[in-house]
Amino acid sequence: QVQPAESGGRAVQAGDSLRLSCVASRGSFNVYSVGWFRQAPGKEREYVAAISVSGDDTDYADSVKGRFAISRDDAKKAAYLQMNRLRPEDTAIYYCAAAPTYSTSFASLYGYWGQGTQVTVSS
């Protein structure tokens, strides 16, 4: 089992960059794919990005493609979400999740979730 724990969220201005971290506070990610999801106030949770167990495959929601980059460092038991050219519509709580297979946007396949970290982008 693995327990993700997110950090790095804060208030920024539109156009800024931010890197979120997801650390395995228990266990490790080395046999799990990792996904990032987000939930804005009053909205459904939405998929952001995912990375395969090997790190060779990545996937992004259309809304963040070209601006966000997901990566992983199994030696540090961590995964990251680099967010560039942030927009006010990126404001949300960002969640990291782990799945035993490369699950991309299928949230139901992620069995382990963190508590989330708040990202606020002002215009």
mmCIF file of all heavy atoms in Angstrom, residues 12 20 25 31 38 49 51-52 57 59-61 66 70-71 75 78 85-87 89 93 100 102 106 113 115-116 122:
data_model
loop_
_atom_site.group_PDB
_atom_site.id
_atom_site.type_symbol
_atom_site.label_atom_id
_atom_site.label_comp_id
_atom_site.label_asym_id
_atom_site.label_seq_id
_atom_site.Cartn_x
_atom_site.Cartn_y
_atom_site.Cartn_z
ATOM 1 N N VAL A 12 -0.870 32.242 -6.380
ATOM 2 C CA VAL A 12 0.042 32.819 -7.372
ATOM 3 C C VAL A 12 -0.749 33.730 -8.315
ATOM 4 O O VAL A 12 -1.979 33.771 -8.272
ATOM 5 C CB VAL A 12 0.757 31.724 -8.191
ATOM 6 C CG1 VAL A 12 1.651 30.864 -7.301
ATOM 7 C CG2 VAL A 12 -0.265 30.849 -8.927
ATOM 8 N N LEU A 20 4.009 21.211 -7.934
ATOM 9 C CA LEU A 20 3.422 20.428 -6.862
ATOM 10 C C LEU A 20 4.214 19.142 -6.687
ATOM 11 O O LEU A 20 4.686 18.556 -7.656
ATOM 12 C CB LEU A 20 1.969 20.095 -7.179
ATOM 13 C CG LEU A 20 1.030 21.270 -7.448
ATOM 14 C CD1 LEU A 20 -0.385 20.765 -7.666
ATOM 15 C CD2 LEU A 20 1.085 22.276 -6.319
ATOM 16 N N SER A 25 4.100 9.027 1.753
ATOM 17 C CA SER A 25 4.368 9.103 3.191
ATOM 18 C C SER A 25 4.398 7.720 3.815
ATOM 19 O O SER A 25 4.932 7.530 4.908
ATOM 20 C CB SER A 25 3.295 9.958 3.866
ATOM 21 O OG SER A 25 2.023 9.359 3.713
ATOM 22 N N VAL A 31 5.727 0.743 -7.846
ATOM 23 C CA VAL A 31 4.902 -0.227 -8.574
ATOM 24 C C VAL A 31 3.547 0.367 -8.937
ATOM 25 O O VAL A 31 2.611 -0.368 -9.272
ATOM 26 C CB VAL A 31 4.722 -1.535 -7.783
ATOM 27 C CG1 VAL A 31 6.056 -2.257 -7.624
ATOM 28 C CG2 VAL A 31 4.077 -1.275 -6.431
ATOM 29 N N ARG A 38 -7.918 17.392 -10.012
ATOM 30 C CA ARG A 38 -8.198 18.650 -9.333
ATOM 31 C C ARG A 38 -9.697 18.846 -9.199
ATOM 32 O O ARG A 38 -10.475 18.302 -9.974
ATOM 33 C CB ARG A 38 -7.556 19.821 -10.071
ATOM 34 C CG ARG A 38 -8.152 20.114 -11.438
ATOM 35 C CD ARG A 38 -7.329 21.190 -12.133
ATOM 36 N NE ARG A 38 -7.894 21.547 -13.437
ATOM 37 C CZ ARG A 38 -7.324 22.387 -14.294
ATOM 38 N NH1 ARG A 38 -6.159 22.978 -13.983
ATOM 39 N NH2 ARG A 38 -7.905 22.659 -15.448
ATOM 40 N N ALA A 49 -3.463 14.842 -15.167
ATOM 41 C CA ALA A 49 -2.332 14.189 -15.828
ATOM 42 C C ALA A 49 -2.037 12.864 -15.163
ATOM 43 O O ALA A 49 -2.449 12.624 -14.021
ATOM 44 C CB ALA A 49 -1.092 15.078 -15.770
ATOM 45 N N ILE A 51 1.140 9.470 -15.124
ATOM 46 C CA ILE A 51 2.415 8.938 -15.566
ATOM 47 C C ILE A 51 2.451 7.449 -15.243
ATOM 48 O O ILE A 51 1.973 7.023 -14.197
ATOM 49 C CB ILE A 51 3.591 9.696 -14.910
ATOM 50 C CG1 ILE A 51 4.926 9.267 -15.504
ATOM 51 C CG2 ILE A 51 3.577 9.545 -13.394
ATOM 52 C CD1 ILE A 51 6.077 10.202 -15.145
ATOM 53 N N SER A 52 2.995 6.672 -16.155
ATOM 54 C CA SER A 52 3.020 5.226 -15.987
ATOM 55 C C SER A 52 4.043 4.812 -14.932
ATOM 56 O O SER A 52 4.847 5.621 -14.473
ATOM 57 C CB SER A 52 3.339 4.552 -17.317
ATOM 58 O OG SER A 52 4.637 4.931 -17.753
ATOM 59 N N ASP A 57 5.467 6.696 -20.167
ATOM 60 C CA ASP A 57 4.217 7.196 -20.742
ATOM 61 C C ASP A 57 3.607 8.262 -19.844
ATOM 62 O O ASP A 57 3.536 8.096 -18.630
ATOM 63 C CB ASP A 57 3.218 6.058 -20.920
ATOM 64 C CG ASP A 57 3.717 5.007 -21.882
ATOM 65 O OD1 ASP A 57 3.959 5.357 -23.046
ATOM 66 O OD2 ASP A 57 3.891 3.851 -21.459
ATOM 67 N N ASP A 59 0.264 11.327 -19.840
ATOM 68 C CA ASP A 59 -1.000 11.709 -20.465
ATOM 69 C C ASP A 59 -1.511 12.963 -19.793
ATOM 70 O O ASP A 59 -1.298 13.153 -18.584
ATOM 71 C CB ASP A 59 -2.015 10.566 -20.315
ATOM 72 C CG ASP A 59 -3.322 10.859 -21.015
ATOM 73 O OD1 ASP A 59 -3.364 10.826 -22.253
ATOM 74 O OD2 ASP A 59 -4.319 11.148 -20.306
ATOM 75 N N TYR A 60 -2.179 13.808 -20.567
ATOM 76 C CA TYR A 60 -2.655 15.087 -20.034
ATOM 77 C C TYR A 60 -4.070 15.383 -20.507
ATOM 78 O O TYR A 60 -4.464 15.031 -21.614
ATOM 79 C CB TYR A 60 -1.741 16.226 -20.499
ATOM 80 C CG TYR A 60 -0.322 16.088 -20.031
ATOM 81 C CD1 TYR A 60 0.630 15.438 -20.806
ATOM 82 C CD2 TYR A 60 0.064 16.589 -18.792
ATOM 83 C CE1 TYR A 60 1.940 15.289 -20.368
ATOM 84 C CE2 TYR A 60 1.370 16.455 -18.350
ATOM 85 C CZ TYR A 60 2.295 15.802 -19.144
ATOM 86 O OH TYR A 60 3.588 15.661 -18.691
ATOM 87 N N ALA A 61 -4.797 16.073 -19.643
ATOM 88 C CA ALA A 61 -6.076 16.628 -20.059
ATOM 89 C C ALA A 61 -5.811 17.728 -21.082
ATOM 90 O O ALA A 61 -4.784 18.418 -21.019
ATOM 91 C CB ALA A 61 -6.814 17.192 -18.854
ATOM 92 N N GLY A 66 0.563 21.034 -22.808
ATOM 93 C CA GLY A 66 1.468 22.087 -23.244
ATOM 94 C C GLY A 66 1.849 23.069 -22.149
ATOM 95 O O GLY A 66 2.775 23.867 -22.311
ATOM 96 N N ILE A 70 4.073 16.247 -15.930
ATOM 97 C CA ILE A 70 4.132 15.303 -14.809
ATOM 98 C C ILE A 70 5.441 14.533 -14.885
ATOM 99 O O ILE A 70 5.940 14.227 -15.979
ATOM 100 C CB ILE A 70 2.912 14.351 -14.834
ATOM 101 C CG1 ILE A 70 2.860 13.508 -13.570
ATOM 102 C CG2 ILE A 70 2.904 13.500 -16.097
ATOM 103 C CD1 ILE A 70 1.565 12.699 -13.430
ATOM 104 N N SER A 71 5.999 14.238 -13.729
ATOM 105 C CA SER A 71 7.239 13.467 -13.674
ATOM 106 C C SER A 71 7.259 12.659 -12.391
ATOM 107 O O SER A 71 6.415 12.860 -11.521
ATOM 108 C CB SER A 71 8.461 14.387 -13.763
ATOM 109 O OG SER A 71 8.489 15.285 -12.660
ATOM 110 N N ALA A 75 13.354 7.153 -6.639
ATOM 111 C CA ALA A 75 14.396 7.147 -5.603
ATOM 112 C C ALA A 75 14.001 8.056 -4.439
ATOM 113 O O ALA A 75 14.371 7.817 -3.292
ATOM 114 C CB ALA A 75 15.729 7.576 -6.185
ATOM 115 N N ALA A 78 8.663 10.065 -4.964
ATOM 116 C CA ALA A 78 7.919 11.281 -5.254
ATOM 117 C C ALA A 78 7.467 11.350 -6.696
ATOM 118 O O ALA A 78 8.055 10.727 -7.595
ATOM 119 C CB ALA A 78 8.777 12.501 -4.938
ATOM 120 N N ARG A 85 2.508 28.815 -16.909
ATOM 121 C CA ARG A 85 1.494 29.703 -17.528
ATOM 122 C C ARG A 85 0.126 29.481 -16.884
ATOM 123 O O ARG A 85 -0.880 29.258 -17.563
ATOM 124 C CB ARG A 85 1.441 29.477 -19.028
ATOM 125 C CG ARG A 85 2.774 29.723 -19.718
ATOM 126 C CD ARG A 85 2.634 29.867 -21.222
ATOM 127 N NE ARG A 85 1.996 28.749 -21.868
ATOM 128 C CZ ARG A 85 2.600 27.621 -22.196
ATOM 129 N NH1 ARG A 85 3.885 27.460 -21.905
ATOM 130 N NH2 ARG A 85 1.947 26.662 -22.813
ATOM 131 N N LEU A 86 0.113 29.541 -15.559
ATOM 132 C CA LEU A 86 -1.118 29.276 -14.811
ATOM 133 C C LEU A 86 -2.197 30.304 -15.131
ATOM 134 O O LEU A 86 -1.903 31.484 -15.406
ATOM 135 C CB LEU A 86 -0.830 29.257 -13.315
ATOM 136 C CG LEU A 86 -0.189 27.951 -12.825
ATOM 137 C CD1 LEU A 86 0.496 28.156 -11.487
ATOM 138 C CD2 LEU A 86 -1.228 26.846 -12.746
ATOM 139 N N ARG A 87 -3.421 29.835 -15.094
ATOM 140 C CA ARG A 87 -4.594 30.656 -15.396
ATOM 141 C C ARG A 87 -5.533 30.642 -14.200
ATOM 142 O O ARG A 87 -5.519 29.679 -13.428
ATOM 143 C CB ARG A 87 -5.325 30.077 -16.608
ATOM 144 C CG ARG A 87 -4.476 29.933 -17.863
ATOM 145 C CD ARG A 87 -5.182 29.078 -18.889
ATOM 146 N NE ARG A 87 -4.411 28.914 -20.122
ATOM 147 C CZ ARG A 87 -4.711 28.046 -21.082
ATOM 148 N NH1 ARG A 87 -5.796 27.271 -20.949
ATOM 149 N NH2 ARG A 87 -3.960 27.981 -22.158
ATOM 150 N N GLU A 89 -8.508 29.811 -14.113
ATOM 151 C CA GLU A 89 -9.327 28.589 -14.170
ATOM 152 C C GLU A 89 -8.583 27.346 -13.684
ATOM 153 O O GLU A 89 -9.184 26.272 -13.575
ATOM 154 C CB GLU A 89 -9.881 28.355 -15.581
ATOM 155 C CG GLU A 89 -8.837 28.338 -16.684
ATOM 156 C CD GLU A 89 -8.695 29.675 -17.370
ATOM 157 O OE1 GLU A 89 -8.761 30.725 -16.680
ATOM 158 O OE2 GLU A 89 -8.489 29.678 -18.610
ATOM 159 N N ILE A 93 -8.306 22.508 -5.740
ATOM 160 C CA ILE A 93 -7.534 21.622 -4.869
ATOM 161 C C ILE A 93 -6.984 20.522 -5.774
ATOM 162 O O ILE A 93 -7.736 19.895 -6.526
ATOM 163 C CB ILE A 93 -8.396 21.026 -3.754
ATOM 164 C CG1 ILE A 93 -8.946 22.133 -2.863
ATOM 165 C CG2 ILE A 93 -7.564 20.048 -2.924
ATOM 166 C CD1 ILE A 93 -9.932 21.643 -1.817
ATOM 167 N N PRO A 100 -2.411 0.695 -9.460
ATOM 168 C CA PRO A 100 -1.500 -0.407 -9.803
ATOM 169 C C PRO A 100 -1.258 -0.552 -11.297
ATOM 170 O O PRO A 100 -0.312 -1.237 -11.700
ATOM 171 C CB PRO A 100 -2.195 -1.632 -9.219
ATOM 172 C CG PRO A 100 -3.629 -1.252 -9.132
ATOM 173 C CD PRO A 100 -3.662 0.214 -8.869
ATOM 174 N N TYR A 102 -1.543 1.649 -15.322
ATOM 175 C CA TYR A 102 -1.555 2.975 -15.943
ATOM 176 C C TYR A 102 -3.001 3.331 -16.246
ATOM 177 O O TYR A 102 -3.589 2.853 -17.209
ATOM 178 C CB TYR A 102 -0.713 2.937 -17.206
ATOM 179 C CG TYR A 102 -0.533 4.271 -17.885
ATOM 180 C CD1 TYR A 102 -0.347 5.450 -17.165
ATOM 181 C CD2 TYR A 102 -0.515 4.349 -19.274
ATOM 182 C CE1 TYR A 102 -0.156 6.664 -17.790
ATOM 183 C CE2 TYR A 102 -0.324 5.565 -19.924
ATOM 184 C CZ TYR A 102 -0.147 6.710 -19.177
ATOM 185 O OH TYR A 102 0.045 7.908 -19.823
ATOM 186 N N PHE A 106 -9.097 7.487 -15.496
ATOM 187 C CA PHE A 106 -10.114 6.649 -14.838
ATOM 188 C C PHE A 106 -9.930 6.712 -13.317
ATOM 189 O O PHE A 106 -9.259 5.873 -12.718
ATOM 190 C CB PHE A 106 -10.034 5.222 -15.353
ATOM 191 C CG PHE A 106 -10.349 5.113 -16.816
ATOM 192 C CD1 PHE A 106 -9.325 5.070 -17.751
ATOM 193 C CD2 PHE A 106 -11.655 5.078 -17.259
ATOM 194 C CE1 PHE A 106 -9.605 4.990 -19.110
ATOM 195 C CE2 PHE A 106 -11.947 4.986 -18.610
ATOM 196 C CZ PHE A 106 -10.919 4.947 -19.532
ATOM 197 N N TRP A 113 -5.306 7.889 -2.463
ATOM 198 C CA TRP A 113 -5.442 9.320 -2.708
ATOM 199 C C TRP A 113 -4.833 10.118 -1.570
ATOM 200 O O TRP A 113 -4.908 9.712 -0.400
ATOM 201 C CB TRP A 113 -6.924 9.700 -2.828
ATOM 202 C CG TRP A 113 -7.582 9.162 -4.043
ATOM 203 C CD1 TRP A 113 -8.060 7.892 -4.236
ATOM 204 C CD2 TRP A 113 -7.835 9.857 -5.258
ATOM 205 N NE1 TRP A 113 -8.588 7.766 -5.495
ATOM 206 C CE2 TRP A 113 -8.464 8.958 -6.148
ATOM 207 C CE3 TRP A 113 -7.587 11.162 -5.692
ATOM 208 C CZ2 TRP A 113 -8.863 9.323 -7.445
ATOM 209 C CZ3 TRP A 113 -7.978 11.531 -6.977
ATOM 210 C CH2 TRP A 113 -8.604 10.609 -7.836
ATOM 211 N N GLN A 115 -4.580 14.030 0.454
ATOM 212 C CA GLN A 115 -5.565 14.946 1.016
ATOM 213 C C GLN A 115 -5.739 16.207 0.179
ATOM 214 O O GLN A 115 -6.687 16.958 0.404
ATOM 215 C CB GLN A 115 -5.155 15.326 2.439
ATOM 216 C CG GLN A 115 -5.190 14.152 3.409
ATOM 217 C CD GLN A 115 -6.577 13.576 3.545
ATOM 218 O OE1 GLN A 115 -7.536 14.284 3.846
ATOM 219 N NE2 GLN A 115 -6.713 12.265 3.333
ATOM 220 N N GLY A 116 -4.827 16.449 -0.743
ATOM 221 C CA GLY A 116 -4.960 17.605 -1.620
ATOM 222 C C GLY A 116 -4.153 18.801 -1.169
ATOM 223 O O GLY A 116 -3.813 18.940 0.008
ATOM 224 N N SER A 122 -4.736 34.059 -9.269
ATOM 225 C CA SER A 122 -5.486 35.306 -9.399
ATOM 226 C C SER A 122 -5.083 36.028 -10.678
ATOM 227 O O SER A 122 -3.949 35.914 -11.144
ATOM 228 C CB SER A 122 -5.254 36.193 -8.189
ATOM 229 O OG SER A 122 -3.876 36.451 -8.021
#
